[in-house]
Amino acid sequence: MTKGKILIAFLFLTFFFVNITGFTAYISTPAGELLNYQLGDFITTFRSIIIQAFPFLLLGIIISGLVSIDFFTGVLKFFETKLRFKVNITSVIFKNRFLRYIRISLLGFLVPVCECGNVPVARRFMLKGMRPSETITFLLAAPIINPITIISTSEAFGANSIILISRVLGGFIIANIIGMLFGLLKNEEVLLTKNFYLDVCNHNHKNRKISGKFFEFIETIKEEFISILPVLLIGAFIASASQIFLPREVILSIGQNAVLSIVSMLVFAFIISICSSTDAFVAIAYSKTFVPGAIVAFLTFGPMIDIKILTLLKSSFKGWVLILLTALALLGSFLFGLIINSFL
Amino acid sequence: MISSIFLTLLGGLIFYLHFFSSGGLLIFIHSKYIPLSLFMATFAIFCGLAGIIYRIKTFRLDSLKLSKTILLIFLFLGGNFINYLFFLIGLIAIFVKFNNDDFEKLIKKSFWRYFLILVFIVSTIFIPTPGISVFTASQRYLYNFEVPIENATKIGESFGRDTINYDIGDWVASINFMPNLNFYQGKEVNLNGFIFKPQILPEGYFLISRFVIRCCAADATPVGIIVKSADWELTYSENTWINLTGNFEIENFNNQENLIVIPKKITLIEKPANIYIY
């Protein structure tokens, strides 16, 4: 079994490197020129997504390491006592849970991470006992409702613009509604993958050999990084391939139609997979050709779900949950875009 | 143990790309992210090395280890990145006692993860990054000047004075700031950029253009100034870098007024180290 794996890997590598010589010969001919450009752009885009995500992912993982050594519990306790939102984790009273979702959706101010950084943080929150549905609210809301994103959006569109306000509002509403819908489940553990569920169950009973908080911190960072990075590689691969090999004119050819333009901007946001802290500057180039509702839909849906995030989330949530999550977020952003269009 | 090594290698990869590969990290990301990237890479190397040191059972240096280390130091002095890589791996092999089950565990549990990361690291070192080309430009060109330029500080300071030093980004920012095209007529320009012919332009025109990025190459958007030159295809091809001097004129086509440049002189230039503007 193990020998088989090594053999397959070896064969793959030889195939790859042998073919590359014949391939370079082909793409230097005039007929292969387009393919040459496409491959070059694909390589550049793929690596740039990873290299851009790398520091932010590591930042998120550092924060998740800090959570694992109970760095934030003190801070959170402070928040709980000061803001009088103190709620028992096992509480099932609707009013309290309602407030809990709203508070969790504002956690982005405490942990300002963008969309790739917040996946490891969310995983750590679940290991620390946060409910999966509440974590979904955090995952969807934190990339939009955090200081960095708000500042960059206000830089791009102006501080008083309707787009900034509706982006924050839309993210807040959609994240809370989706989290609460998942919270209606009696047994939320069905949302998690088997491996991650076992991790959640065993976390408190693990007798770690490592002594000292420092090495526990380092150990957490390494484990988390090695389990997240391959997933990011796959996500960036799919995202950049679909960016290069799907013609963008087809997606963006429908600008002024109130309904279709929202759909095309949603598809665009799903494919492009860029960081939530800078996507406002990409959107601004389309703000003259597209109706405002479409821009808002792009800015709310993009940070919540795209190809890269879906592969990252696959490490802890089941497939059907992700499909449902994507469908709900799509529907939510679409309706929100329609509402904006009908008002403006 | 193996995760420590991989983390160190990844941090090293970022440093390698920045200092040893052509174009550096600038070919991938906006320059404002480079300090953060390098800092995080340092942190990754630090974490990895700390993890390795934690696992080192003995620090005693016997004569065999000493001789191997000296050999390795010669390798280190050899000077290119591959040597550094072997130097690092050699050091680890000399000083770190592997647990017997470390390798077994790797093969059984997370083989494909490490394989993917390894393929990424090796391919990034051996296959150079060409940068974004005209293909992406043709996908993303929008035929307007609505692209925000960060670095255009000259606008407003020196309109009408010394516009010969304006680059493409400055002109695009000016046109954004002051869309009355008559203002620009007759002004002299001196631009560097690559040749790109979007389908929307009629025959006999091309764009001298640059990519604007805000975050990384995934969001690179082309901007450009239209150049009028009959039969340019005979002498130049798309994706080549040129320096162009000429004057602005206004012409009517595609049902609107367009600002175009009538070129006086076009020279081929080398592709610059930083192909983007901000």
Side-chain angles (χ1 to χ4, degrees), chain A residues 37 41 47 59 222 243 248, chain B residues 4 40 129 133 136 140:
Chain A
Y37 285 151
D41 291 358
R47 287 179 187 163
L59 206 64
K222 274 173 9 196
Q243 253 197 77
R248 194 176 285 202
Chain B
S4 311
M40 283 301 169
T129 314
S133 72
T136 303
R140 300 186 188 171

Side-chain angles (χ1 to χ4, degrees), chain A residues 241-310:
Chain A
S242 48
Q243 253 197 77
I244 301 296
F245 296 107
L246 284 182
R248 194 176 285 202
E249 303 119 47
V250 177
I251 304 171
L252 297 180
S253 53
I254 1 158
Q256 286 303 324
N257 186 311
V259 179
L260 286 179
S261 67
I262 299 179
V263 175
S264 70
M265 273 319 244
L266 287 175
V267 176
F268 182 49
F270 185 70
I271 286 172
I272 184 171
S273 301
I274 51 167
C275 185
S276 67
S277 57
T278 44
D279 58 356
F281 295 108
V282 177
I284 203 169
Y286 296 94
S287 60
K288 281 282 152 64
T289 32
F290 280 81
V291 286
I295 302 290
V296 171
F298 173 83
L299 290 175
T300 45
F301 182 66
M304 289 181 182
I305 302 283
D306 59 41
I307 295 175
K308 187 178 68 182
I309 309 173
L310 276 186

Side-chain angles (χ1 to χ4, degrees), chain B residues 29-49:
Chain B
I29 52 176
H30 191 291
S31 59
K32 72 185 170 196
Y33 290 121
I34 286 181
L36 181 68
S37 288
L38 292 182
F39 177 75
M40 283 301 169
T42 320
F43 186 82
I45 293 176
F46 166 75
C47 280
L49 289 182

